Amino acid sequence: MNNTLLDGLNKEQKNAVTASLDRHILILAGAGCGKTTVLTRRIAFLVESGIDPGKILALTFTRKAADEMASRVSRLLCAQKFDKLPVITTFHGFALKVLSGSFDKADHFSDIGFQPNPRLINEKERLGKLVSLTTTLERKMLRSDLFGIDSLLAQKAVFPERLSKLDKSQSDLLNSIERRLQEDKESSGLWDFSDLLAGTLRLFRCKPSIAEFFALKFRVILIDEFQDTNPVQITLLKALLADNKYLFAVGDDDQAIYAFRGADIRPTLEFCSHFKGAEVLKLQINYRSTPSVLKSANKINSDKPAAYRKILVSGKCRTGSGPVPSAHAFDDQEQMLSWILKKASLISTIENVLIPSMAVLFRLNRSLQWVSEYLEKRSIDSEKFPALLTVHKSKGLEFPVVFLCDMEESVFPNYQPNSVPKPRNANEFLLGLFKAPQIDCNWDEEKRIFYVAVTRAEKHLFFLSVRRKEVYGRKKSFRPSRFLKMI
């Protein structure tokens, strides 16, 4: 083997890159532990081991990630004198290649009921069709506006069990709307992204010979951000993984924060059940954060089962542990923002860190919007203030200084107490006084979002809460988040 392929890798990374070729592999890659490096070196290792690059399929979730992976793999393979590249694309990109005939020179859109060469529908057109295909009464029955119905249809496509709260009449109505929309798109020569994966699976079901062609086409499939897969994507993977085909998946169950998009963490947690004979490896050496930041991050998941618990250690900081993350409470948002600006300026002056390279993170988009409008009204130049992002938008990024806002209970973790039914008599009223309100919250998801926020910080990390903040135009009192007790 070309030893330069393993240059610069730590022991965990080397074990992952050179893992067995005759079984499914799951790499649990902690935040900042070099998962992309491992994934691209693994592809080069497969090629060097004699696997035809054309028999390798690598899938990820964004075009940017796919382009970055392809660029790195190209450099690695060119250095090893290989001129053929694997197929590296997104899940939707792969499905489009299948349906448009990029692999077998045949238009398969017509095989699943679409006109040849259909056009991609945009969001405005999709909502416009829902206007014409649904009535006001139907929307009232579903208790949703057009955006809500669109969201219900998206959930139904990838995770129908999450619609269990709908009664039978609502479920039947949603099925009817879905059928109307699908028939209208097919007859109009239009498709959207939700059609790609579902359409590919439909093609495989109605054309077994095509399913067999693709099952035999690839020998190894690699997946980035495996924790973000949804049930439809898992079904597609299993259709592609025939006998003697193996999956190499990289992901982090601690960073599974896209349940609202239909992502399902269960295939990650139950990987060995879904993919028999699989081996699970871990990457735990972090090259992003100081030991002090990692100490806080490790506390968040200290109660996880050992098989999936990752204890991150710093591979970056050789001298000292770095500043200890600290929590700060303020009377209101204005006081908090004033403190952020002063603290950012102080760190910038002392450590020569540019303020725009720092980040202010929020759990809720409405909090970010309020701060953005506040700064704009006071003509505070964005170049003199850290970047403003939600935690979800910050995933995959890193910052030397992180100010984590929204650290108030019911904001982060985010929840609302369930509405209490109106008491029918005096006894029910008295019982209600002593009954704690039920809270509708996905606690595990909220904890993972918190973990993602903490692991964005390279060196400085501040947890910020306010006692009173504006919510939909009204001042509301808050107490500090329970998450602060974790760290």
Side-chain angles (χ1 to χ4, degrees):
M1 183 181 68
N2 182 358
N3 290 329
T4 60
L5 188 61
L6 304 180
D7 283 354
L9 302 184
N10 61 48
K11 185 177 180 180
E12 290 179 338
Q13 292 172 328
K14 289 177 182 177
N15 289 340
V17 169
T18 61
S20 174
L21 300 178
D22 62 358
R23 68 190 64 181
H24 303 297
I25 303 290
L26 171 63
I27 306 298
L28 292 174
C33 292
K35 69 176 180 63
T36 305
T37 295
V38 165
L39 199 55
T40 52
R41 299 279 187 104
R42 174 67 173 184
I43 293 174
F45 175 76
L46 293 173
V47 174
E48 193 174 90
S49 299
I51 297 178
D52 181 352
K55 293 285 186 180
I56 298 172
L57 171 65
L59 299 174
T60 186
F61 285 86
T62 67
R63 187 176 299 174
K64 179 180 178 182
D67 290 344
E68 170 65 18
M69 192 189 306
S71 176
R72 291 198 195 188
V73 169
S74 177
R75 290 195 297 270
L76 286 169
L77 296 187
C78 286
Q80 297 179 58
K81 311 303 182 187
F82 292 101
D83 56 2
K84 191 176 181 181
L85 291 177
V87 177
I88 301 175
T89 185
T90 64
F91 273 96
H92 288 97
F94 173 74
L96 179 58
K97 288 176 183 291
V98 170
L99 294 174
S100 62
S102 293
F103 293 112
D104 58 356
K105 310 302 180 186
D107 175 23
H108 295 300
F109 275 109
S110 57
D111 291 328
I112 57 172
F114 285 87
Q115 293 183 4
N117 303 312
R119 178 175 64 82
L120 175 65
I121 191 173
N122 59 42
E123 183 181 17
K124 184 178 180 181
E125 288 176 299
R126 181 183 173 90
L127 292 174
K129 288 192 174 295
L130 288 176
V131 170
S132 61
L133 294 171
T134 62
T135 66
T136 302
L137 179 60
E138 288 175 330
R139 293 169 212 154
K140 286 182 178 178
M141 285 182 63
L142 290 172
R143 298 175 183 175
S144 297
D145 58 13
L146 292 173
F147 292 99
I149 292 176
D150 195 40
S151 178
L152 289 173
L153 291 172
Q155 290 183 62
K156 185 178 183 300
V158 297
F159 223 142
E161 64 193 72
R162 288 185 179 166
L163 301 179
S164 59
K165 292 182 180 180
L166 298 180
D167 61 31
K168 187 177 186 305
S169 62
Q170 291 174 317
S171 182
D172 289 344
L173 174 56
L174 190 64
N175 288 337
S176 174
I177 294 172
E178 180 185 48
R179 185 173 59 255
R180 283 178 246 161
L181 179 61
Q182 189 65 27
E183 290 173 351
D184 186 272
K185 286 187 298 184
E186 290 176 1
S187 64
S188 303
L190 300 171
W191 59 270
D192 60 31
F193 282 112
S194 64
D195 296 316
L196 290 174
L197 296 176
T200 299
L201 290 175
R202 197 180 348 157
L203 175 67
F204 287 175
R205 286 193 297 267
C206 69
K207 300 282 187 179
S209 61
I210 296 175
E212 183 179 5
F213 171 83
F214 283 100
L216 296 173
K217 182 168 181 59
F218 301 104
R219 181 174 167 186
V220 182
I221 300 176
L222 302 95
I223 308 294
D224 189 17
E225 304 286 7
F226 185 76
Q227 78 280 350
D228 293 334
T229 53
N230 63 41
V232 174
Q233 290 160 339
I234 293 298
T235 302
L236 176 61
L237 282 177
K238 290 182 176 179
L240 296 172
L241 290 168
D243 293 340
N244 300 317
K245 309 292 166 55
Y246 296 105
L247 176 64
F248 185 89
V250 179
D252 184 3
D253 52 306
D254 295 331
Q255 297 188 73
I257 63 171
Y258 292 115
F260 69 96
R261 292 183 184 171
D264 184 6
I265 194 176
R266 290 175 300 180
T268 303
L269 299 178
E270 302 164 3
F271 191 83
C272 295
S273 297
H274 281 271
F275 305 98
K276 301 299 181 183
E279 181 180 4
V280 179
L281 303 174
K282 298 179 183 179
L283 300 180
Q284 302 173 100
I285 301 177
N286 174 286
Y287 294 96
R288 173 185 299 158
S289 306
T290 62
S292 289
V293 170
L294 296 181
K295 184 178 180 180
S296 294
N298 288 331
K299 289 179 180 178
I300 298 171
N301 297 303
S302 60
D303 59 346
K304 285 184 64 175
Y308 275 74
R309 184 171 67 245
K310 295 178 290 297
I311 301 175
L312 302 183
V313 296
S314 179
K316 174 182 179 181
C317 190
R318 301 298 181 187
T319 58
S321 297
V324 176
S326 56
H328 306 266
F330 304 91
D331 291 333
D332 53 35
Q333 291 158 293
E334 291 90 340
Q335 186 185 60
M336 180 189 73
L337 292 176
S338 176
W339 183 88
I340 289 175
L341 191 55
K342 291 177 182 177
K343 193 70 174 179
S345 297
L346 180 63
I347 295 174
S348 177
T349 300
I350 295 175
E351 302 186 18
N352 196 28
V353 177
L354 295 176
I355 291 179
S357 71
M358 307 176 188
V360 180
L361 303 185
F362 303 88
R363 171 62 183 89
L364 301 181
N365 190 64
R366 70 168 183 251
S367 300
L368 184 155
Q369 189 66 32
W370 188 94
V371 170
S372 181
E373 291 175 358
Y374 178 88
L375 296 176
E376 185 176 349
K377 287 177 183 176
R378 280 148 186 80
S379 301
I380 298 178
D381 195 331
S382 59
E383 291 181 5
K384 298 177 183 178
F385 203 82
L388 306 178
L389 300 94
T390 62
V391 177
H392 284 89
K393 287 290 186 182
S394 75
K395 187 172 179 290
L397 304 177
E398 55 191 49
F399 308 91
V401 183
V402 168
F403 300 94
L404 180 53
C405 303
D406 279 349
M407 294 305 302
E408 300 92 27
E409 188 65 14
S410 81
V411 180
F412 204 175
N414 183 239
Y415 62 83
Q416 288 184 339
N418 286 334
S419 59
V420 179
K422 186 177 181 179
R424 293 170 294 183
N425 52 52
N427 285 336
E428 286 190 359
F429 174 76
L430 291 173
L431 288 172
L433 294 177
F434 299 98
K435 188 176 182 181
Q438 296 297 309
I439 294 175
D440 183 12
C441 180
N442 186 337
W443 299 108
D444 290 337
E445 179 95 350
E446 290 297 316
K447 193 162 71 168
R448 292 193 292 268
I449 297 171
F450 183 50
Y451 174 85
V452 168
V454 169
T455 54
R456 298 312 94 196
E458 296 175 354
K459 183 176 180 181
H460 294 277
L461 175 59
F462 304 100
F463 301 98
L464 311 181
S465 64
V466 298
R467 298 178 184 89
R468 288 180 63 80
K469 71 192 304 183
E470 190 171 309
V471 179
Y472 297 124
R474 291 186 173 184
K475 287 286 186 178
K476 184 178 177 181
S477 297
F478 291 91
R479 56 190 173 89
S481 168
R482 68 183 68 194
F483 283 166
L484 293 174
K485 298 176 182 178
M486 291 182 178
I487 45 83

